[in-house]
Amino acid sequence: MRIAISGASNSGKTTLINAFLRRWPMYGTPMKSYRELIKENELDHSSKTSEETQLLILDSMMKIQERYNSTDNIILDRCTWDNLAYTLVANSYDQVSDEVTAASISFVKESMKNIDIIFWLEYDPDIKILDNGIRDLNLDYIKEVNSVFSQLYDHYSDNLEADIFYPKEDCSDIIPLEGKTVDDRLFYISQFIDDKGELIEPDSNFFSEEITIW
């Protein structure tokens, strides 16, 4: 199964992925990610991004997603859905043109077929912002990106078949992750993924009761 952990900066994605890999060791994760691309090419990104940066990251993410099929067990640190959120924010600041944004929407829409589940982590104001050498530390910007993720999720959940951002068929499942701690989040994920790393079908007992995080 192909899984992505998505969300704005400093939402705990990398920490969760490391814990996920310990909990489900049958999964792997790519050796390189968009972060290496940014570092190797010394790209301005996030609040200082450009069309070039957004397109390079999108191309890299699409190629990574295309490597895997539904029988692979892989978890990704972000995916093309993240690129879309950041591109939409960049477009609002005229850093990315309407034409490139429209093209990006089309590419991301198609690439959603290459991810089975996106677990979305919303920004948590209780998590202290840490400088990892690449993270944008602008709190207002992080909140703005998180707001766009929220809007994209609303598009997904309200009327998927009529939406411009998502394919009508074979779209990734997007699941907002609940819980404050890593253990809480792993427990929530375990309501969808069994001990063998396989998807728990919706008609199983796990889906017949309300999920509660204590």
Side-chain angles (χ1 to χ4, degrees), residues 179-193:
K180 285 282 189 180
T181 69
V182 172
D183 286 341
D184 286 343
R185 291 168 174 177
L186 289 176
F187 174 77
Y188 195 80
I189 291 173
S190 73
Q191 310 307 303
F192 302 92
I193 302 173

Side-chain angles (χ1 to χ4, degrees), residues 125-212:
D126 293 333
I127 298 179
K128 182 180 179 181
I129 299 178
L130 300 175
D131 187 357
N132 64 358
I134 192 173
R135 177 175 292 144
D136 194 312
L137 305 180
N138 185 325
L139 180 57
D140 290 336
Y141 177 74
I142 292 173
K143 290 179 178 179
E144 188 171 7
V145 172
N146 184 71
S147 177
V148 171
F149 271 111
S150 182
Q151 293 172 46
L152 286 172
Y153 178 74
D154 288 343
H155 279 271
Y156 168 82
S157 59
D158 290 345
N159 192 4
L160 177 61
E161 291 188 357
D163 198 81
I164 65 168
F165 296 110
Y166 305 103
K168 293 182 180 180
E169 298 178 356
D170 201 20
C171 182
S172 313
D173 290 321
I174 303 177
I175 302 172
L177 264 179
E178 295 185 10
K180 285 282 189 180
T181 69
V182 172
D183 286 341
D184 286 343
R185 291 168 174 177
L186 289 176
F187 174 77
Y188 195 80
I189 291 173
S190 73
Q191 310 307 303
F192 302 92
I193 302 173
D194 65 19
D195 289 341
K196 296 180 180 179
E198 298 174 356
L199 179 67
I200 298 171
E201 296 299 330
D203 60 352
S204 72
N205 291 333
F206 282 100
F207 285 84
S208 64
E209 300 177 0
E210 182 179 353
I211 299 171
T212 303

Side-chain angles (χ1 to χ4, degrees), residues 4 22 25-27 37 47 83 93 118 126 199 201:
R22 291 191 293 271
M26 69 287 296
Y27 277 77
L37 177 69
S47 62
N83 179 267
Y93 288 103
I118 297 173
D126 293 333
L199 179 67
E201 296 299 330

